[in-house]
Amino acid sequence: MSERGAPGGATSVRGIAAAVRSREATASSVVEETLERISAMDGELHCFHTVMAKEALASARALDATIAAGRDPGPLAGVPVALKDNICTKGTTTSCSSKILENWVPPYDATVVERLRDAGAVVVGKTNLDEFAMGSSTENSAFGPTRNPWDASRVPGGSSGGSAAAVAAGLVPLAYGSDTGGSIRQPASFCGIVGLKPTYGGVSRYGLVAFASSLDQIGPFACTVEDATLGLLAVAGHDPRDSTSIDREVEPLLDSLGGGVGGLRVGLIEEFAADVAPSCSGAARAAADALAAAGAKVGEVSIPEVRHGLPAYYVIAPAEASSNLARYDGVRYGLRVDAGDARTMNLRTRGAGFGAEVRRRIMIGTYALSAGYYDAYYGQAQRVRTLVVRAFERAYEDFDVLLAPMTPSEAFELGAKTANPLDMYVSDLCAVPSNLAGHPAMSVPFALGESGLPVGVQVLAPALREAAMLRAAAALEAAAPPGVRGPVKLAAAPAGAASDGGGE
Amino acid sequence: MPDGYETVVGLEVHCELSTRTKLFCGCENSFGAAPNSQVCPVCLGLPGSLPVLNRRAVELAIRIGQALGCEIRPSVFHRKNYFYPDMPKDYQISQYDLPVNVNGHLDLPDGSVVGIERAHIEEDTGKSTHIGATGRIKGASHSLVDYNRAGVPLVEIVSAPDIRSAAQARSYVSELRRVLVAAGASDGRMEEGSLRVDANVSVRPDGSTTFGTRCEVKNLNSFRSLVRSIEYESKRQVALLEAGEAILQETRHFDESSGETHSLRSKEEAYDYRYFPEPDLVPLEPDEALLRAAAVGAGLMPGERRRLLWEAIGASLEEHASGALADQIETVIDLELDRLVVDAVAAGADGRLALARAANEAAANPESARSLGAGSFAALLQLESSGSLSATQSKAVLTVLTEEGGDPSEIAARLGFEGLGDAEIEELIDGVVAAHPEEWSRYLEGDGKVAGFLLGRIMRESKGRANGKVVSTKLAERRSRA
Amino acid sequence: MSRISVEEVRHVALLARLELSDDELAVLSGELSALLDHVEQIRRLDTSGVPPTAHPLPMRNVLREDEPRPGLSAAEALAAAPAVEDGRYSVPSILGDEP
Ligand SMILES: [Mg+2]
Ligand SMILES: [Zn+2]
């Protein structure tokens, strides 16, 4: 049988939903098998903080009853999904991998959670992340790192490393993360799966614990472009609870997947080549060639301003974060370290509750906004942001989509970049310009690097042009060499998980 | 104010808007509910929650701007960052360098004009109660926080430093309160915290054209506190200057019990609000539709109401500034009885009589008086003017009329105030003349003092049913015939 | 080089309400300085006449109708509170008044 098959053999989002909807499989059996797989394999990987076994089985049974009653169970019927643990789930701890929220149980569901349930998906657990999504390796979790399923000595990337690794390891076919400066795309690249950051405002942020509000977007992880698209469609669309949510109809994106790239104008961004490993720049170039072979009009494009993205990002994101994270003050929820007066209580609670990286970013953000520095740092970064946006606008006069390397390197060893924060920050180099511009971008697995690890290629598009981006992504997926994408065949995978319940 | 110095005051008035829901969430905006029962993820600042701006709050804020003659502009919300337990997100969403209303003015009843620098939208904080000691901050063992008020929409109205005395500050706040109530933006209840005032106070030598260092006095929740704190603060600052000491720019708290202001600043920390544009909200650009929607439903502003009253009673310009008429006018405006007066005059009543009866008698029961029909009020006043009812009778009828409604003549009849006919009055006069021949002769000889005596006797005999004016006229007629 | 002194770091930590040890302050002084060096490349850019972008999309006037919606019960609201008294959140004494 398949290494991560639903009963009946389906392993994809589309396949599972089809099997459950047609009663070839029950949602309960799919969820049971998923839970068994997680319990067998997550010990080493640590993708999950919380496995919601009871809730997931209850939802699955309810879905089966819905189907038995002849009602429509939704397009993602029975599809097990994992959520980054910064997405609020009513009644289930949402920790943000932080000691300060270790036991916090939200009294409400994020909009994406409501939409997933309405679509018939079954939330099976909450995944590990860099604390408050600040990091690029998932090593900044207060509860221990997640490991890369391709090589357990390597990081899965971050900050949505738990979700990426869970999909890459075949624990779930679909997971969600948040992308503020590459936190979906970079781990997708490291884990050999598809990760998609939608246009800013395309997916509601209501219930996503904020890191940097003007940059944050929720998006899906899946093994294929089609599954990622299904994952996006399930959660996309206007939400009146998010003022920055775009109020317009979502395109029928699945139609674009088979569209081919004939005539599509594709630009390869020149700038990053010098700054990234040859395997990464090579993958981008190979991707450009593949699209050209598939009929696209491919050219190179210079956008020098993208190089300003990283420093601008490392002012804007911490500044917004310093304000967003002020509320963790020990008064209403989360950790409190007591003291004789409120101010000292605030100081101690926050000093003790936040990890080193979060404190660092709060500090830099506070500094960048403080009297006398605002204009030099925050104000200047916002003006540079305008320059980046304008530069993209110019590039998109000539091209429909752009290609770029996704990461400066393949997945690195745990601990390799923890000594110097700046080393870690450079991981976000190729990713942040899209966040600054609010544009959609995604990572598609396209090559294997020197160490046999997957390397993704980044596809970028203008705001709301997901359709063009997905056309290119689907063509890349079709042209990619074999063995570059997950799910990984794990040595630890139990042979008969479905029959004997697995376990270690 | 000590001689040789001038007080300069600018006021910041926080006005809670009369919306149904809070500024950024659907929680009820109401006063007096059980603690923490009017809250949701948004106004509690729970992780992941997001604000969405209340249309009505925006309309009311614009309406305030319209009433204050402001320019209404595209605006941006900012975050004002500081830690305080009653602020759920540890930042306040407010407007900073791009407020919705700028450059307006407020005309005070005495004719002076105070500039309005800005009137911006922001959210209210929760409410802390300090437990232990005196219930004040100092010496409290701990504090308890209720977030029902957190997120209630406020408009903060910032005046220019145009105010020159405590009395003018008082007049400014009362007039502003009238404007806010007339606009339908606020219930104006200071005792419930619907209006809260901070005063920026400085002093300078007479004739100086530069401003002195100012102190911001907080916690002024009544007119009395406003006046006392400004008076105290000016004296304190003058004393410092006289002693050759510098005034520290700082925030001070007014203590109602001692009547003094105290410094609040903790020495080690200067505030640095780190304002930046609120990324969870998009800019507000009032368009024609929004401006029109804002204007619909605003009542008449106090200046206009005052003008209509002056017209109705036909007062001279000299009477406007002060005196009994001016006081009566302010009273009927505050009690919202001005419409009644203006309409009664239109229905034929005497203006000054209508104003007096409204400001004095109707004011005793303003709630009912507001629902009094202008027609019946006018009818009553006409009975009084024509002499059919005495002033005393008219007031008694008015009391019944406000409480129960009905027809003034019928009420008068019911109360036995039916005026005596001419023949009956003549009879009464005959009787009194016969009983007091001596006084009558003196009256005929021109002794004015005895007129009152005769009138009193006749009124007493009539048991109050005779109209004094009519009796006086008849007495005078008899003398001229004699 | 040190763009941001330990004393400045101490001040910023107080603004941010983070209790940090002297060692942590010293380490942060170095790390923040290095980051500011990296940011230096954009500080030198000529951005005169360039408006700031605070928000990636040109949206305006997103408004909600003034209609009540159900929120949380007091019990739900207080469920996560570290300390509760009398239906309210209990906090240690507040020393200064609201700024
Ligand atoms: Mg204010
Ligand atoms: Zn609320």
Side-chain angles (χ1 to χ4, degrees), chain A residues 104 107 200 214 243-246 307-308 310-312 315 330-334 336 338-343 346-348 350-351 354 359-360 362-364 366-367 373 376-377 380 382-387 390 421-422 425 437-438, chain C residues 3-4 8-9 12-20 24 28 31-32 34-36 38-47 49-57 59 62 72 76-77 80-83 89-95:
Chain A
W104 182 60
Y200 182 86
S214 77
S243 305
T244 63
S245 165
I246 297 167
R307 284 164 164 258
H308 305 317
L310 196 65
V315 172
V331 175
R332 292 157 299 276
Y333 43 78
R336 171 184 292 187
D338 235 317
D341 67 277
R343 192 161 160 280
N346 290 159
L347 280 161
R348 290 196 184 145
R350 294 166 58 78
F354 291 131
R359 292 199 302 235
R360 197 176 289 130
I362 290 175
M363 289 292 291
I364 196 73
T366 303
Y367 179 80
Y373 296 106
Y377 289 103
Q380 178 71 352
Q382 296 282 52
R383 289 186 290 272
V384 170
R385 188 173 186 178
T386 306
L387 297 180
R390 288 179 179 171
L422 269 176
Y425 295 173
Chain C
R3 289 177 181 282
I4 168 163
E8 266 183 296
V9 174
V12 173
L14 184 62
L15 271 181
R17 291 288 191 275
L18 290 170
E19 186 175 73
L20 298 172
E24 287 167 328
L28 273 167
E31 289 172 344
L32 299 190
L35 183 60
L36 294 180
H38 177 70
V39 170
E40 194 60 22
Q41 66 158 286
I42 60 163
R43 286 194 56 188
R44 287 193 301 261
L45 289 177
D46 179 9
T47 55
V50 178
T53 295
H55 195 276
L57 298 173
M59 298 170 75
V62 175
L72 301 172
E76 286 174 304
Y89 296 82
S90 174
V91 288
S93 64
I94 300 167
L95 295 180

Side-chain angles (χ1 to χ4, degrees), chain A residues 194-205:
Chain A
V194 176
L196 190 159
K197 182 196 95 71
T199 301
Y200 182 86
V203 174
S204 171
R205 291 185 294 118

Side-chain angles (χ1 to χ4, degrees), chain B residues 22 25-27 38-44 150:
Chain B
K22 293 184 180 181
C25 64
C27 290
Q38 315 271 19
V39 293
C40 74
V42 177
C43 58
L44 275 180

Side-chain angles (χ1 to χ4, degrees), chain A residues 444-467:
Chain A
V444 182
F446 199 72
L448 287 180
E450 291 157 25
S451 36
L453 294 166
V455 173
V457 165
Q458 187 175 202
V459 187
L460 304 87
L464 295 166
R465 299 304 311 277
E466 272 85 352

